[in-house]
Amino acid sequence: MNRPGPAETAFDAGSTRETLRVAELLRKETVGGFLLVGAAVVALVVANSPLKDAYARLRDTVVGYAPWHLNLSLGQWAADGLLAVFFFLVGLELKRELVDGELRSPRTALVPVVAAFGGVAVPALIYLAVNAGGPGVHGWAIPTATDIAFAVAVLAVVGSRLPASLRLFLLTLAVVDDLIAILIIAVVYTDRLSWAPLALGLVPIAAFGLLAHRFADWFAVHGWAAWAVLLPLGIIAWGFLHASGIHATIAGVLLGFAVPVHRGRTPVVGDDGLAGQFEHRFRPLSAGFAVPVFAFFAAGVDIGAGGTFTDALTDPVGIGIMAGLLLGKPIGITATTWLTLTLSRSRLGPGVRWPDVIGVSVLAGIGFTVSLLVAELTFADDPARGDHAKIAVLTASTTAAVLAAALLYVRGRVSGRR
């Protein structure tokens, strides 16, 4: 029997440039993951303390200009406004992966892309099976997301001895997962669509992209230029998309895609391109402020009110979410990875074993940020069931983090002894 060649090997470490880029990104996401978890813990503590009424009043305080449909609560501003920054970074990372990363090559993209789809489809099917015919059936998208920041934070703590290719696999899978989540939010959670604001919103997006491409060198050299020129265009685009009925975070994704990956005509040795420059500048704003503030307002559930925690764990919505994240994610990712490798007659890369893949697939069961957002969108008119969904997301994400940490820690110790 002939041994598979390099072209038939999955989970390769990738080029040195790509490995260094991923390592830097993972370090940044690790810090953001710890801040995210910290904000969620603070929210839960405050929401279950004597300060819970003050917390609720703060979250529900409405500010903004009503004629422009911008009279939103602070919680809504965090979900619709601040998360647009997070999704802008997602758009940048997606484009960089498509142009310079693992997704540019069908051979390297095949396994993580198929695994991502498996990790979305199986949790959704499990949720639908549990909630078939029930009032919460439309929440099927809640357990389909993976929180890259939270997952990477866990991986950084327990997975230092694991192969670098596994980290690359997790990152690529999560990027594709985010793309699917974005499409779901754009299509499923658009109840009404106003064409005039949508058309007007495309104008500043086009201007944003035109300026970013035409003056890529200038924006890369002058740090203030993006804040003074591009940011106002981004805010205008966000406002029009919000008025159109499409979830306003989609504006962030479109703007991220509008940024060129490479600089202009001037080659600069060691330069990471304009998308890399913007990612470096704006990621601290996303990881250090936008996402933690969203988590603070979204995760504050009074789990002791009238048996809320028990009700959440027995509600078909909660059961479907937890089963989707804790069972659907690992089953979907592992099964589709195995099937893809089998059909393509490939094998795992050097140092990678199936327990490693299973550990990473369990880690992908950490839903958190996008799952909480989808829960808010799904049950905006049913706060009680929305609280059940959030409790299920928090419980399943925490459980997935603990289980994955244990699996990856044991695997790391075993790999270290070899």
Side-chain angles (χ1 to χ4, degrees), residues 60-79:
D60 298 333
T61 298
V62 176
V63 295
Y65 189 54
W68 290 357
H69 307 286
L70 296 177
N71 52 329
L72 308 175
S73 69
L74 291 181
Q76 290 174 317
W77 275 111

Side-chain angles (χ1 to χ4, degrees), residues 4-30:
E8 297 172 298
T9 302
F11 293 90
D12 286 329
S15 66
T16 301
R17 179 175 178 271
E18 178 70 2
T19 301
L20 291 175
R21 185 182 74 81
V22 170
E24 181 184 1
L25 177 59
L26 293 179
R27 284 195 297 270
K28 295 175 181 177
E29 291 285 9
T30 300

Side-chain angles (χ1 to χ4, degrees), residues 113-391:
V113 168
V114 174
F117 275 95
V120 168
V122 176
L125 291 174
I126 290 177
Y127 182 95
L128 288 172
V130 174
N131 287 272
V137 68
H138 55 298
W140 58 269
I142 299 173
T144 61
T146 295
D147 192 296
I148 181 61
F150 195 164
V152 165
V154 175
L155 192 64
V157 173
V158 299
S160 59
R161 298 182 180 180
L162 294 172
S165 56
L166 276 177
R167 297 169 181 261
L168 183 60
F169 172 72
L170 174 63
L171 176 63
T172 308
L173 182 149
V175 166
V176 178
D177 190 297
D178 283 341
L179 175 59
I180 299 172
I182 290 163
L183 295 175
I184 291 173
I185 291 172
V187 175
V188 177
Y189 295 100
T190 300
D191 295 328
R192 59 176 180 81
L193 184 60
S194 299
W195 290 101
L198 178 60
L200 290 172
L202 296 178
V203 175
I205 292 174
F208 184 103
L210 179 63
L211 291 173
H213 281 78
R214 179 65 179 83
F215 302 103
D217 292 332
W218 186 62
F219 284 117
V221 172
H222 302 285
W224 58 269
W227 298 94
V229 179
L230 298 181
L231 179 60
L233 290 172
I235 292 174
I236 294 171
W238 178 91
F240 278 123
L241 259 68
H242 182 272
S244 74
I246 295 177
H247 197 265
T249 53
I250 302 302
V253 181
L254 296 177
L255 293 169
F257 267 109
V259 177
V261 172
H262 302 296
R263 289 274 293 274
R265 299 183 180 87
T266 306
V268 179
V269 177
D271 182 70
D272 200 23
L274 188 58
Q277 292 269 342
F278 280 7
E279 187 177 328
H280 176 74
R281 295 174 191 172
F282 297 123
R283 187 168 295 280
L285 176 61
S286 173
F289 180 73
V291 175
V293 170
F294 166 76
F296 176 75
F297 285 120
V301 181
D302 186 355
I303 61 178
T308 302
F309 186 76
T310 303
D311 291 343
L313 299 186
T314 56
D315 186 340
V317 168
I319 294 173
I321 291 171
M322 290 187 291
L325 288 173
L326 294 175
L327 296 177
K329 278 289 184 181
I331 291 174
I333 292 172
T334 304
T336 50
T337 299
W338 176 84
L339 184 62
T340 303
L341 294 181
T342 300
L343 294 178
S344 62
R345 297 182 180 180
S346 301
R347 60 174 180 173
L348 296 176
V352 180
R353 301 292 182 267
W354 281 109
D356 302 328
V357 179
I358 294 172
V360 169
S361 70
V362 174
L363 193 61
I366 301 175
F368 222 82
T369 303
V370 178
S371 291
L372 289 174
L373 173 62
V374 175
E376 288 196 348
L377 296 175
T378 302
F379 299 114
D381 299 326
D382 189 351
R385 187 160 279 115
D387 285 346
H388 292 176
K390 289 182 180 181
I391 290 172

